[in-house]
DNA sequence: GTTGCTGCAAACCCTTTGCATAGGA
DNA sequence: TCCTATGCAAAGGGTTTGCAGCAAC
């Protein structure tokens, strides 16, 4: 259940091979960064973080690799209606949806099996073949509601 | 129930006033275009359509006004993960969610009361104050599935 | 007369792309 | 060797912004 980073990198290598991608040190470096990072971030943030910590990699490689990681299911990609993509590792996690606070921009997660089931049903009713889905609820989080009352 | 365009424009004027916006002829022109348009479109499409039909209005005014219309609840705004915003009039319509076909890019709508209720419940459980939400299911529509089999 | 809106063009921001070079298979 | 990936810089595309002139209140 609990895999070490090194084991995950081994998996990654074999998945790349299986899908016809080359194994490169840049892809591994980016994977390492992704694996140790929790929560949501955009490609630019990841790129800057890597630059700052002295890793040599090009911006376009980060963008391209994040999409490879998305392709092979290592990260999730979502957009929260902000015309920008956010990534997040999918390791050891079930699919989840998001509560987006419009005051502090924090993103909270939730899992709701019943909603998932209803989505499957909706697809069945419409003859639609589901590949993925994305549910965001926008509003105000508890903390911001409290701040507002002060 | 069934309001005429002119009645809707009257409502619009009073809403603008109530919210502290000025009433201008550009805003009215854009509202007219929005009211007679069904389905989803981006700001650029609306702008080009207006230009083509001879309406004099600046691109930035269209972009700015669509956001005003969104503010006051005349249009809905969503992004379908394409780094672009899509607008759609909200008149005479219940909230609905979207099935996005990744093959033909068509967008289908559905309404599901049970999902809506579960969302309210999720918010309650998390002490989250919901303002809006957005659910998109990505996949392949019936027609594209059939085409694929040929 | 103020304040807010429009129009224009330029700036912005994130993302993608073209191409020469480097590096896996 | 062949083909894919990288790095760089430049282009792209949708959206936003600064500012002067203009229109609403």
């Amino acid at each position: 259940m609990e895999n070490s980073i090194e084991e995950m990198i081994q998996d990654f290598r074999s998945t790349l091979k299986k899908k016809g991608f080359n194994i490169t040190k840049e892809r591994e470096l980016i994977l390492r960064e992704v694996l140790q990072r929790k929560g949501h971030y955009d490609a630019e943030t990841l790129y800057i973080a890597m630059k700052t910590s002295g890793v040599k990699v090009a911006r376009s490689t980060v963008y391209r690799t994040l999409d490879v990681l998305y392709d092979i299911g290592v990260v999730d990609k979502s957009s929260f209606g902000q015309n920008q993509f956010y990534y997040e590792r999918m390791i050891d996690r079930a699919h989840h949806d998001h509560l987006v606070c419009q005051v502090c921009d924090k993103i909270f997660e939730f899992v709701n099996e019943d909603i998932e089931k209803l989505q499957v049903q909706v697809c069945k009713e419409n003859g639609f073949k589901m590949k993925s889905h994305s549910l965001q609820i926008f509003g105000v989080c508890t903390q911001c509601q409290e701040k507002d009352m002060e």
Side-chain angles (χ1 to χ4, degrees), chain A residues 128-143:
Chain A
F128 194 84
K129 191 172 176 183
M130 174 158 71
K131 296 278 184 181
S132 67
H133 67 264
S134 149
L135 166 60
Q136 293 113 242
I137 300 181
F138 300 99
V140 187
C141 73
T142 314
Q143 289 158 35

Side-chain angles (χ1 to χ4, degrees), chain A residues 69-102:
Chain A
L69 294 180
Y70 176 61
D71 265 17
I72 67 181
V74 172
V75 296
D76 192 18
K77 182 177 185 178
S78 28
S79 89
F80 308 125
Q82 289 166 54
N83 264 1
Q84 186 176 182
F85 294 116
Y86 288 89
Y87 297 87
E88 177 188 30
R89 69 178 196 197
M90 298 251 293
I91 314 301
D92 297 334
R93 311 205 49 196
H95 175 79
H96 57 274
D97 295 307
H98 299 110
L99 297 169
V100 183
C101 178
Q102 295 174 314

Side-chain angles (χ1 to χ4, degrees), chain A residues 11 14 25 27 36 45 47 50 52 56 59 63-64 74 78 81 86 106 111 114 118 122 124-125:
Chain A
D11 284 0
S14 67
K25 71 171 187 307
R27 285 182 176 156
Q36 63 187 51
T45 302
Y47 168 66
M50 293 183 74
T52 306
K56 291 192 113 176
R59 171 180 279 110
Y63 277 84
R64 285 191 272 231
V74 172
S78 28
Y86 288 89
K106 277 209 199 82
V111 178
D114 293 334
L118 285 168
V122 165
K124 211 174 275 176
E125 284 164 12

Side-chain angles (χ1 to χ4, degrees), chain A residues 15-129:
Chain A
T15 308
L16 282 183
K17 192 169 285 172
K18 209 185 316 173
K19 299 233 179 182
F21 291 107
N22 282 356
I23 296 168
T24 69
K25 71 171 187 307
E26 286 83 3
R27 285 182 176 156
E28 206 174 298
L29 288 169
I30 294 165
L31 177 68
R32 279 178 193 278
E33 187 69 32
V34 161
L35 289 180
Q36 63 187 51
R37 187 170 279 262
K38 292 184 183 183
H40 302 85
Y41 45 85
D42 57 22
E44 192 67 17
T45 302
L46 198 79
Y47 168 66
I48 298 294
M50 293 183 74
K51 275 284 162 192
T52 306
S53 65
V55 180
K56 291 192 113 176
V57 68
R59 171 180 279 110
S60 50
T61 302
V62 172
Y63 277 84
R64 285 191 272 231
T65 301
L66 281 170
D67 281 333
V68 171
L69 294 180
Y70 176 61
D71 265 17
I72 67 181
V74 172
V75 296
D76 192 18
K77 182 177 185 178
S78 28
S79 89
F80 308 125
Q82 289 166 54
N83 264 1
Q84 186 176 182
F85 294 116
Y86 288 89
Y87 297 87
E88 177 188 30
R89 69 178 196 197
M90 298 251 293
I91 314 301
D92 297 334
R93 311 205 49 196
H95 175 79
H96 57 274
D97 295 307
H98 299 110
L99 297 169
V100 183
C101 178
Q102 295 174 314
V103 177
C104 66
D105 288 326
K106 277 209 199 82
I107 294 162
F108 305 87
E109 295 165 1
F110 69 90
V111 178
N112 189 301
E113 282 303 327
D114 293 334
I115 293 180
E116 308 274 319
K117 277 180 205 147
L118 285 168
Q119 288 179 15
V120 171
Q121 197 185 316
V122 165
C123 289
K124 211 174 275 176
E125 284 164 12
N126 289 273
F128 194 84
K129 191 172 176 183

